[in-house]
């Protein structure tokens, strides 16, 4: 971008029960999608997004249920949903309504939590709503549960866990109990680590009750603006969520919850992402984030799972590096699945054969699967399978 220029974002939203509509502003590429849960919600968005400072915002509307789509043929209907699912996977949408702002020139994500943006900045004063450094967003006093107040500058030089949670959420309370022990072990090991609790509690009394169980820091409940900015910064779509940052404030992993549950002794801290994961109860939720390559193996052979991971890893690393260079998320997650109840449930749900090894790509949001059932899985077979999937050369089977 040329210095002094501000790139205009496009808006991407996924929602329900709105007929498609295209609004193209001359000179601005039409690269966004929009839909809302209600016509009232969308009219509020239009009023906000077409304010004086946001006149060149492109909006495309998509319906997720299809009942309000008005194309003249089934062909157009299927194409519509094909591209909708692509957007759903590309931006890892897990909840609706969801509003994402993009740079209309590069297509890069400007902000993942646009609904909070238009709530917090209805006049568009902070347009174009680009990401700010963690150090700037967190700036201000932080609390301990004994009432002590510390400045955010005390975090310098530390790894930081940003913990989005609430007392009313049962999975949050379960994770908090485990996280307290993990926090203690990491601190006792001499690591510089701090956790910041960002509350989603419904009252200050609930916040205080919940925070009394935590040995770390919190953003004051009364500082709603800062809590909202942190939600916006990390595009939080559900709780509990634990984001782990390096000492420079850059994200190491958004899957802190999974890491804490899978690593009770915290030996892998600060939990840099692994290219290939072994499927488990705690990380199976990631299967819903987008297309996933899953290699099913016979885990009765002790070395089979590890050998499978070593086989896939160079291919996974190549894909991840390619998309990281473009500042994009990789279009696939990579798993190895052994023989356990989780794997059995996944096979049953997706109607997969009992064969092992079995190479698959599962796309839960599209309810589609791609299966390669061969006697021997080699790196060349895996790489060709992945490349054909990315080039849309594979024919999906329904889940």
């Amino acid at each position: 971008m040329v210095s002094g220029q501000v790139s205009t974002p496009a808006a991407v939203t996924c929602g329900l029960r709105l007929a498609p509509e295209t609004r193209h502003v001359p000179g601005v590429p039409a690269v966004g999608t929009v839909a809302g849960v209600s016509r009232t919600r969308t009219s509020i968005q239009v009023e906000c997004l077409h304010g004086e400072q946001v006149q060149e915002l492109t909006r495309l509307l998509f319906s997720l249920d299809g009942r309000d789509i008005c194309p003249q043929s089934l062909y157009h209907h299927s194409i519509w949903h094909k591209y909708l699912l692509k957007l759903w996977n590309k931006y890892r949408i897990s909840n609706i309504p969801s509003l994402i702002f993009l740079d209309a020139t590069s297509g890069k994500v400007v902000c993942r939590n646009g609904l909070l943006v238009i709530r917090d900045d209805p006049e568009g004063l902070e347009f174009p709503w680009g990401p700010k450094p963690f150090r700037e967003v967190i700036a201000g006093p932080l609390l301990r549960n004994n009432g002590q107040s510390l400045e955010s500058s005390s975090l310098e030089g530390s790894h930081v866990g940003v913990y989005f949670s609430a007392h009313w959420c049962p999975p949050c309370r379960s994770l908090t109990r485990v996280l307290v022990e993990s926090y203690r072990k990491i601190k006792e090991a001499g690591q510089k680590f701090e956790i910041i609790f960002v509350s989603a509690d419904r009252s200050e009394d609930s916040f205080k009750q919940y925070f009394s169980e935590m040995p770390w820091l919190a953003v004051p409940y009364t500082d709603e603006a800062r809590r909202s900015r942190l939600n916006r910064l990390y595009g939080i779509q559900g709780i509990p969520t634990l984001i782990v940052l390096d000492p420079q404030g850059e994200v190491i992993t958004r899957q802190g919850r999974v890491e804490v549950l899978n690593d009770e002794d915290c030996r892998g801290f600060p939990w840099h992402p692994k290219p290939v994961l072994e499927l488990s109860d705690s990380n199976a939720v990631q299967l819903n984030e987008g297309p996933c390559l899953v290699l099913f193996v016979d885990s009765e052979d002790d070395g089979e799972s590890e050998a499978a991971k070593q086989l896939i890893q160079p291919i996974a690393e190549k894909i991840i590096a390619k998309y990281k260079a473009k500042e994009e998320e990789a279009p696939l997650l990579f798993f190895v699945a052994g023989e356990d109840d989780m794997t059995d449930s996944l096979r049953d749900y997706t109607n997969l054969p009992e064969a092992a090894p079995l190479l698959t790509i599962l796309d839960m949001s599209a309810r589609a699967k791609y299966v390669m059932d061969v006697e021997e899985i080699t790196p060349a077979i895996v790489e060709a399978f992945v490349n054909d999937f990315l080039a849309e050369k594979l024919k999906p089977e329904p889940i």
Side-chain angles (χ1 to χ4, degrees), residues 51-343:
E52 194 171 287
Q53 295 192 1
V54 203
Q55 291 176 0
E56 294 184 345
L57 193 64
T58 301
R59 302 172 65 250
L60 301 180
L61 281 76
F62 284 85
S63 166
L64 293 186
D65 58 15
R67 285 176 290 177
D68 293 319
I69 294 177
C70 306
Q72 299 303 311
S73 69
L74 181 61
Y75 169 78
H76 288 99
H77 181 90
S78 63
I79 292 295
W80 185 269
H81 280 277
K82 175 184 175 181
Y83 285 106
L84 177 57
L85 288 169
K86 281 187 177 181
L87 288 165
W88 185 278
N89 286 331
K90 180 176 179 64
Y91 299 113
R92 302 286 170 89
I93 302 298
S94 60
N95 290 305
I96 53 174
S98 184
L99 174 63
I100 297 175
F101 290 109
L102 307 177
D103 182 304
T105 302
S106 67
K108 293 178 181 177
V109 174
V110 173
C111 175
R112 290 189 174 275
N113 214 327
L115 294 178
L116 283 178
V117 165
I118 62 174
R119 186 197 72 180
D120 296 347
D121 185 25
E123 303 299 326
L125 299 178
E126 298 179 26
F127 178 78
W129 305 306
K132 297 178 180 178
F134 170 72
R135 186 180 293 106
E136 180 179 336
V137 176
I138 196 64
L142 299 168
L143 299 178
R144 292 205 180 275
N145 60 16
N146 62 4
Q148 180 186 6
S149 178
L150 298 174
E151 282 301 315
S152 58
S153 58
S154 65
L155 301 173
E156 290 184 11
S158 297
H159 286 84
V160 176
V162 189
Y163 184 37
F164 300 86
S165 185
H167 187 263
W168 53 262
C169 163
C172 295
R173 297 197 301 273
S174 297
L175 179 62
T176 296
R177 288 191 288 271
V178 178
L179 189 55
V180 167
E181 289 304 308
S182 299
Y183 178 79
R184 179 182 60 78
K185 290 173 183 176
I186 294 168
K187 300 285 274 188
E188 288 178 354
Q191 300 270 15
K192 294 192 71 175
F193 179 54
E194 193 52 79
I195 294 176
I196 311 286
F197 171 41
V198 183
S199 173
D201 286 295
R202 293 164 177 161
S203 71
E204 188 167 9
D205 287 342
S206 293
F207 162 76
K208 289 178 179 178
Q209 179 184 351
Y210 193 29
F211 187 40
S212 68
E213 306 168 11
M214 302 176 183
W216 46 72
L217 301 170
V219 175
Y221 185 80
T222 53
D223 195 344
E224 185 176 355
R226 190 162 31 146
R227 290 191 289 123
S228 182
R229 286 196 297 271
L230 286 162
N231 274 273
R232 285 163 47 186
L233 179 63
Y234 298 114
I236 302 303
Q237 297 189 45
I239 55 173
T241 294
L242 177 65
I243 310 284
V244 181
L245 310 178
D246 68 16
Q248 289 72 47
E250 299 297 323
V251 173
I252 293 176
T253 180
R254 300 177 60 86
Q255 299 295 335
R257 174 190 184 185
V258 171
E259 299 294 351
V260 165
L261 294 175
N262 277 344
D263 184 17
E264 292 183 4
D265 294 328
C266 304
R267 292 177 181 172
F269 177 82
W271 302 304
H272 288 278
K274 300 179 181 67
V276 182
L277 301 174
E278 193 160 348
L279 188 66
S280 67
D281 288 337
S282 56
N283 65 25
V285 67
Q286 292 177 253
L287 292 171
N288 294 311
E289 292 186 4
C292 299
L293 182 142
V294 184
L295 175 55
F296 293 87
V297 298
D298 181 0
S299 61
E300 289 182 1
D301 181 344
D302 291 339
E304 189 75 14
S305 291
E306 187 58 36
K309 283 194 282 187
Q310 293 302 318
L311 184 150
I312 295 175
Q313 184 157 324
I315 299 157
E317 288 175 341
K318 184 188 294 187
I319 295 292
I320 292 167
K322 176 182 176 180
Y323 283 85
K324 185 177 181 180
K326 298 191 290 185
E327 298 184 15
E328 296 180 10
E329 293 190 47
L332 276 173
L333 298 178
F334 294 84
F335 290 88
V336 168
E339 291 185 348
D340 53 25
D341 291 343
M342 170 55 66
T343 300

Side-chain angles (χ1 to χ4, degrees), residues 39 44 69 382:
R39 297 184 185 276
I44 293 171
I69 294 177
V382 175

